[in-house]
Amino acid sequence: MSAVSKSLEDVRAVILSAHEKVTAEEKATFYNRWAQTYDQDVTAIEYQAPRLAADSIAAHFSGDRERAQVLDVACGTGLVARQLKGHGFGRFSGVDGSEMMLKMAEGTGLYQGLQLCSLGEEPLPVQPGLFDVVVIVGALSVGQVPVSVIPELCRATKAGGCVCMTTRSNPDNLDYKSALEKEMKALEEEAAWTCEGVTEVQQWERAVSEHEDGYISGAVYLYRKL
């Protein structure tokens, strides 16, 4: 079935099946297969997170955007980098657990470096304190990347730099969201970073679960490394 002929129900089935993958190997295999049609599929559900994250970063970043080093964690096909490029950012490094997703990201021509890493299974393969911006979009949700990666995002960021994270706020993800916010708060209490803003968005993307209709909500978090 081509990407063009997929119905919204077909796309929903694909996205829901992502949450059925338990092991790192299963997840990598799934995303390798999905890479070719990923952009079209997330467009079909009106996925807003990459744009919303890029807008939040742009609103809070006051440095030289063209020279800023950006780490795109769980970069996928490069949707976030494309959005940030539109805001004037120009130096991107990407990390993802899928080889095929990384190949798609490489095809954008935006990244100076791309590395394979199973997030939550392996440490981030980057130098601590190197990046002006660290961003992770879409991967922080139940059944995907564990909240234990949050301190690693902070460590990768240089003092004064920004960390941007997103998650969904639909009922299926509320327990995960609560754990995520607890992890963020713990780092704030340790004076590792400070919260610059939390944006709750009602029309995050079209619902895919059978017991949800219309659109689900989501949140963008922006922290500054101390």
Side-chain angles (χ1 to χ4, degrees), residues 142-188:
V142 63
Q144 298 299 309
V145 175
V147 299
S148 59
V149 305
I150 300 304
E152 294 186 64
L153 305 180
C154 186
R155 281 194 293 271
T157 311
K158 65 174 58 173
C162 295
V163 184
C164 184
M165 299 155 283
T166 72
T167 197
R168 297 171 178 86
S169 302
N170 60 313
D172 289 347
N173 200 54
L174 288 181
D175 287 345
Y176 180 97
K177 185 183 180 189
S178 177
L180 178 65
E181 292 176 346
K182 184 178 179 180
E183 193 75 27
M184 294 174 181
K185 186 65 175 177
L187 287 173
E188 196 170 5

Side-chain angles (χ1 to χ4, degrees), residues 129-142:
L130 179 64
F131 296 93
D132 300 280
V133 176
V134 174
V135 56
I136 181 168
V137 171
L140 293 175
S141 64
V142 63

Side-chain angles (χ1 to χ4, degrees), residues 117-118 121-126 152:
C117 176
S118 180
E121 302 279 337
E122 306 169 281
L124 271 178
V126 298
E152 294 186 64

Side-chain angles (χ1 to χ4, degrees), residues 7 11 28 30-31 38 56-57 83 94-95 110 114-116 121 149 157 160-161 165 192 194-196 208 217 225:
S7 68
V11 173
F30 172 81
Y31 282 101
Y38 178 82
S56 180
I57 292 166
Q83 292 289 334
V95 175
L110 294 175
L114 290 161
Q115 296 190 73
L116 184 68
E121 302 279 337
V149 305
T157 311
M165 299 155 283
T194 184
C195 183
E196 293 282 295
V208 297
S217 57
K225 174 79 172 283

